[in-house]
Amino acid sequence: MKLFDEIPAERPATPLLDTCEHPAALHDFNATQLRQLADELRAYLLYSVGCTGGHFGAGLGVVELTVALHHILDTPYDRLVWDVGHQAYPHKILTGRREQMSTIRQFGGLAAFPKRDESPYDTFGVGHSSTSISAALGMALAARTKGERRRVCAVIGDGALSAGMAFEALAHAGHVDANMLVILNDNEMSISENVGGMASYLARILVSKPYTVMRENSKRVLSHLPGALELARRTEEHVKGMVSPATLFEEMGFNYIGPIDGHDLPTLVQTLGNMANLEGPQFLHIKTCKGRGFRPAEADPIGYHAITKLEKTTSEPPPKKEPRSPNAATAEPEAQPKPQPKPRKYCNVFGEWICDMAAVDARLIGITPAMREGSDLIRFSREYPERYYDVAIAEQHAVTLAAGMACEAMKPVVAIYSTFLQRGYDQLIHDVAVQALDVTFAIDRAGVVGEDGPTHHGALDLSFLRCIPGMIVLAPADEAECRAMLSAAYHHPGPAAVRYPRGTGPGTQVASNLEALPIGEAETRRSGREGGVALLAFGSMNGPAGEVAERLDATHLNMRSVKPLDREAILAAARDHRLLVTLEESVVAGGAGSGVNELLAAEGVQVEVLNLGLPDDFVEHGNPAELLAACGLDAEGIETAVRRRWGTPLHDD
């Protein structure tokens, strides 16, 4: 295996890879060619992700597995399902998209994850974890119903396997005796002892054709002898148990093989070649290294989970300084502009807030479903380890765990991405809201998040949260409001959520205290022309709303609270203005604007309202600014929509 210390700055030479326009080309490759292909694939992956940014370590860890799978399987007729899809970049490169990798995660380019309408080789669209086994099982059962002899394989990571959904699918697959192969890509958790030569040797024996034939023939012979078949089964189980954690998966109905070295390409090819043709549920456990082949990523797999694109270096000399004036010594020094505070990420604001609140309230508990780094709970986990719970990829459990703690007078704070809270929605309603339990939800990545696309945009939370009885929903316009709203939600004696966007805020100075904003009170940021337009902005939309308000001499209200709404502020705006415009970085259907409409209707107030938000569609991937502009939610788009609705000049220039 070729090892790298740096990401290639120039496109590497990949003569063998360049001949592989489709994975069928791999079927005739010999062992030497497969090894060369893996090296070239890893080099090209490093180069392409260095150019574009994107998911990194997971793909490097499955280069050998990807090559082996496409060598053995007849894709896309045989179905290959990748879980989550972080590791699918090598798959994309081998399935006709090599030269398009420069567009990945960019507006109009390749998606960050497998996507059905992008390629027939992407058999199932993913983005959230732990879905692959269920999807593959559905495909396997459909093939059996139609009488098709197609092979089905699901690749799932050890982290994704921690979700209950994965085990539900495993149990069902064993029960229905489906013809499918599940590959566990184990690159972090200590599910088994480290792979050794003896373990790999015995694993190869257990899937060899002679062993398989002997095993089946022995079953037929021993079935006629009382007790002999059970004795043989137990003996085989104990032999496997000496080299692998087979019991759990065998009891679920799978033929378990492994663990084997997932970077040993000859062993992978031989093992997969035999297992892919076995009848019934098969389970292959491979051990891999995330970031394999790139030494910095092997040393820091979390830091190199994904990277931003590398900036091109230039060899041009720095610009020459202007010569000093002869009178420079006596001239007054020019006044230097006062340095502006560097904008802070919203997740960092949350990370500091939770530590500060924990210092004054011993009841605070922090909970996250495998998002410690993303939610910035690193410091909290170190300073308050006894009050920090990472429940792995188990959003449903995270929410109900918080409910149980709230029943015992604790104050749980669930740090979760908007897109992942969708997975715990029933628990949010049934276990938290119905019982009016005191749980605070810090909802990160709200609105358009960018390059990861529709599976990761937080476009629906205002709609699905606002309809829950008793739920408080707050949306900050800046970093200072985010901190104050977190305090407000925390002190509210019931379920409350603060939803904030990914990335940095506008750069507002954040106070060090824990003072809370009053819930349900809007802020008037600008009073405009009476009888004109009032912009009712929620959360991140206050930025462009401020620009548009200046251009149109409009009133600008920072609504702050999605639920409850500020009734008096809305009624006053309706009384003094001809047009109300609601602005939200969320779908319009059922969102904050719908709440304003409902309030006006309930009060019997008739005024023209324009609801602006994300479209009734799934927004694709791209830079957030590009996506907001495409959705008409930048300042220009908002101004255009308002002028179009107004129909006449808004004011005399």
Side-chain angles (χ1 to χ4, degrees), residues 11 15 46 49 53 55 80 169 194 197 218 259 333 393 440 453 458 464 476 497 537 571 588 591 630:
R11 190 193 191 284
L46 285 166
V49 179
H55 298 112
L80 176 57
N194 291 334
S218 298
I393 302 174
T440 300
F464 71 65
L571 294 180
V588 171

Side-chain angles (χ1 to χ4, degrees), residues 128 369 371 394-396 398-400 414-429 432 439-445 455-458 460-462 464-465 468 471 473 496-499:
H128 291 184
M371 288 292 144
E395 293 86 359
Q396 298 174 355
V399 176
T400 303
V414 179
I416 193 167
Y417 291 6
S418 171
T419 184
F420 297 139
L421 182 57
Q422 295 165 186
R423 306 183 70 161
Y425 189 54
D426 181 62
Q427 289 69 28
L428 174 60
I429 297 171
V432 176
V439 179
T440 300
F441 293 89
I443 305 175
D444 198 352
R445 271 60 168 182
T455 58
H456 283 62
H457 293 319
L460 308 176
D461 53 31
L462 292 188
F464 71 65
L465 289 172
I468 301 175
M471 193 80 196
V473 186
V498 180
R499 59 101 70 174

Side-chain angles (χ1 to χ4, degrees), residues 9-67:
E10 303 294 334
R11 190 193 191 284
T14 55
L16 190 58
L17 177 63
D18 293 346
T19 67
C20 301
E21 294 302 324
H22 299 288
L26 278 64
H27 295 169
D28 297 326
F29 281 12
N30 59 35
T32 301
Q33 290 173 309
L34 291 174
R35 179 68 272 162
Q36 179 185 340
L37 180 66
D39 286 341
E40 292 182 9
L41 179 57
R42 181 169 278 109
Y44 187 82
L45 176 63
L46 285 166
Y47 166 73
S48 64
V49 179
C51 292
T52 63
H55 298 112
F56 191 71
L60 290 171
V62 296
V63 166
E64 286 78 16
L65 176 63
T66 306
V67 169

Side-chain angles (χ1 to χ4, degrees), residues 4 14 89 94 140-141 155 162 173 231 256 316 331 346 364 447 463 475 485 499 533 539 550 570 573 651:
F4 294 82
T14 55
Y89 286 22
L94 289 178
L141 295 179
V155 182
S162 65
L231 177 61
Y256 173 95
E316 296 180 3
Y346 281 99
L364 187 149
S463 300
M485 286 182 181
R499 59 101 70 174
V533 177
E550 290 294 334
I570 294 172
H651 56 79

